[in-house]
Amino acid sequence: MMTERFKQLLRDYEEGKLSAEERLEVEQELQKLEVYQAYMDEMLESGKNQVYAGAQLNSMELNSNQERKWMKRGKRNARFWSVGMVFVILMLLIIMNSILTSLYYTTGNPVRQIVYSDVLGSALSVSRPNIRVSLSSTPTNILATRFFGTISKQIGSESETVGTYSQTFRLNQWIGSRVDTYSDIQNRSNLFFYLPGATETARSSNEWSRLEKLPEGTVAEAYVSLDNYYEQSDVLSKFSGNVLNLVWYAVRTATEGFEMGEQAVWNPLGFPSIPLHHHVKTGLQTDDYKQTLQLLLEYKSITRSVVSTNLIKEALDYANEHGVQIYGVVVTGPVKELLKLQEVSFVKAIRIGEVRLWNWNNE
């Protein structure tokens, strides 16, 4: 007779509620019943219809081949079921991770994704002369987002892509290795600013000679060191008679000192002439420079992936106390216009950066 337990197992089997072991048990019992039914049909066809169902069912056994066959089938089904469950769980975790990551980065006031991208781009712009980064983002890993984009700089009248940048954050913490394909190239360029008080500027003479040898139909980028500390309005006034673009200003931070015995600043802080993403003002960017430093300090965990937050704090404190004092500027334009700077008194020294064929459009 069919027990109540077996009846319940059959109902659970149909509804898919059984574990792998219970499914195997039911399938084996069903196979026994199928064999028994086949035996009964054979007996009826041959005229041997005197069968005692209860006794036959209890005494019937599967032969060894059939038993092995159904054991293998049960194990295979259980294995497929286990693999399927693991796959489903994995997909659910991936979906949940994407949802949670998206919720974290697309919420907040302002939205975290926009703020983190702005902070990262601003940190690069204030610590890397004439460098701008256009960033996008995509979820990756567990609760992590990768910010990536192109590095560009202005040479002549054109903004040129010079490298790629990528950085991953988990929530607001920097993880993994940073990808910056232009960093090594920029470091090997041997570009720096002299401070106004520098006494050894012999290298600049070689730079003027190098500039003279460049073809007239070229444009170049130049690091121009000034003879004093100036406000931005004064710098703009002094360069007003030159057909050049001023693209980045080097600002005094009170931490610059003697390096290589020349008072040369290899890792300056400053600001670009084009306002950064969070700026809403127009005209002079000195207030925006301080606003940018304040933003970087509010998100130290993002900022420190690019530049020291201690350096940022010292720069902000100095700017608040003494104002924004500019001692150098990155300019770009025709080589013949850059050569004219050799004759002006406010230019202390020059370093030549990138050079390109003529692309100048001074409108």
Side-chain angles (χ1 to χ4, degrees):
M1 296 292 292
M2 186 177 296
T3 64
E4 289 299 323
R5 176 181 177 276
F6 190 69
K7 291 179 181 178
Q8 184 62 45
L9 285 175
L10 283 177
R11 286 192 292 269
D12 292 342
Y13 180 82
E14 292 178 355
E15 297 175 1
K17 297 180 179 180
L18 299 181
S19 64
E21 294 182 356
E22 290 173 330
R23 286 170 60 88
L24 180 59
E25 177 185 349
V26 171
E27 289 173 353
Q28 289 177 342
E29 291 299 324
L30 290 175
Q31 177 60 17
K32 290 180 181 180
L33 292 176
E34 290 176 3
V35 173
Y36 172 72
Q37 184 63 47
Y39 177 77
M40 289 294 294
D41 292 343
E42 182 181 350
M43 291 294 292
L44 289 172
E45 290 176 1
S46 62
K48 299 178 180 180
N49 54 1
Q50 297 180 356
V51 179
Y52 298 96
Q56 292 293 341
L57 180 60
N58 291 332
S59 62
M60 186 179 300
E61 294 182 358
L62 294 172
N63 61 58
S64 59
N65 290 333
Q66 290 174 320
E67 188 173 351
R68 282 195 298 269
K69 175 181 177 182
W70 280 96
M71 285 293 290
K72 289 181 179 179
R73 177 181 173 183
K75 290 180 179 179
R76 184 169 61 253
N77 290 340
R79 190 179 299 114
F80 288 155
W81 183 84
S82 299
V83 171
M85 285 301 297
V86 170
F87 179 76
V88 169
I89 292 172
L90 181 61
M91 290 302 297
L92 288 174
L93 289 175
I94 292 174
I95 293 172
M96 288 179 61
N97 176 63
S98 297
I99 293 174
L100 291 175
T101 302
S102 296
L103 282 175
Y104 177 81
Y105 284 99
T106 57
T107 56
N109 186 22
V111 175
R112 293 185 182 91
Q113 186 179 43
I114 296 175
V115 173
Y116 291 178
S117 178
D118 185 20
V119 171
L120 194 56
S122 298
L124 289 163
S125 292
V126 300
S127 62
R128 304 272 293 277
N130 194 20
I131 287 294
R132 293 185 72 88
V133 182
S134 177
L135 294 171
S136 301
S137 63
T138 183
T140 180
N141 256 322
I142 300 175
L143 298 177
T145 286
R146 182 172 68 94
F147 291 88
F148 62 96
T150 56
I151 301 172
S152 62
K153 66 188 314 182
Q154 186 172 341
I155 308 170
S157 294
E158 295 182 356
S159 179
E160 178 179 325
T161 298
V162 293
T164 58
Y165 188 89
S166 176
Q167 180 65 65
T168 301
F169 293 89
R170 175 166 290 122
L171 300 182
N172 65 345
Q173 298 298 317
W174 169 28
I175 62 172
S177 300
R178 180 178 62 205
V179 175
D180 185 344
T181 60
Y182 188 68
S183 178
D184 290 340
I185 297 174
Q186 190 172 31
N187 291 337
R188 290 196 301 268
S189 299
N190 200 27
L191 296 173
F192 56 87
F193 292 102
Y194 288 104
L195 290 176
T199 56
E200 290 291 334
T201 59
R203 293 188 183 187
S204 187
S205 298
N206 296 331
E207 293 296 291
W208 290 118
S209 298
R210 178 187 169 195
L211 196 59
E212 289 173 352
K213 294 175 183 178
L214 291 174
E216 183 176 334
T218 55
V219 294
E221 167 200 42
Y223 281 44
V224 178
S225 301
L226 306 178
D227 68 334
N228 207 337
Y229 296 101
Y230 296 99
E231 294 182 357
Q232 187 185 17
S233 58
D234 295 330
V235 175
L236 291 172
S237 176
K238 289 182 178 299
F239 278 91
S240 61
N242 299 95
V243 186
L244 296 168
N245 282 340
L246 282 64
V247 294
W248 197 85
Y249 301 88
V251 179
R252 189 176 186 179
T253 65
T255 61
E256 298 90 350
F258 286 88
E259 297 182 26
M260 297 183 63
E262 298 176 343
Q263 282 189 283
V265 183
W266 295 85
N267 298 297
L269 288 184
F271 60 93
S273 59
I274 300 175
L276 298 172
H277 173 75
H278 54 271
H279 294 161
V280 295
K281 301 177 183 178
T282 59
L284 302 180
Q285 283 86 47
T286 51
D287 288 339
D288 295 334
Y289 166 70
K290 291 188 287 186
Q291 177 188 345
T292 298
L293 298 184
Q294 184 62 54
L295 175 70
L296 297 183
L297 290 177
E298 291 176 7
Y299 295 89
K300 291 183 178 180
S301 58
I302 306 295
T303 302
R304 66 169 58 101
S305 68
V306 177
V307 62
S308 167
T309 53
N310 290 332
L311 180 60
I312 296 295
K313 185 178 186 308
E314 291 172 355
L316 179 60
D317 291 342
Y318 189 88
N320 285 331
E321 183 176 354
H322 302 283
V324 177
Q325 301 180 14
I326 296 169
Y327 62 88
V329 61
V330 178
V331 301
T332 183
V335 167
K336 63 180 182 179
E337 293 295 327
L338 291 172
L339 281 169
K340 293 178 182 179
L341 297 178
Q342 191 174 10
E343 307 301 326
V344 298
S345 60
F346 62 86
V347 172
K348 186 179 189 68
I350 193 171
R351 301 291 297 176
I352 305 303
E354 304 274 358
V355 178
R356 295 291 185 273
L357 293 177
W358 187 265
N359 64 13
W360 189 248
N361 181 19
N362 187 37
E363 293 183 355

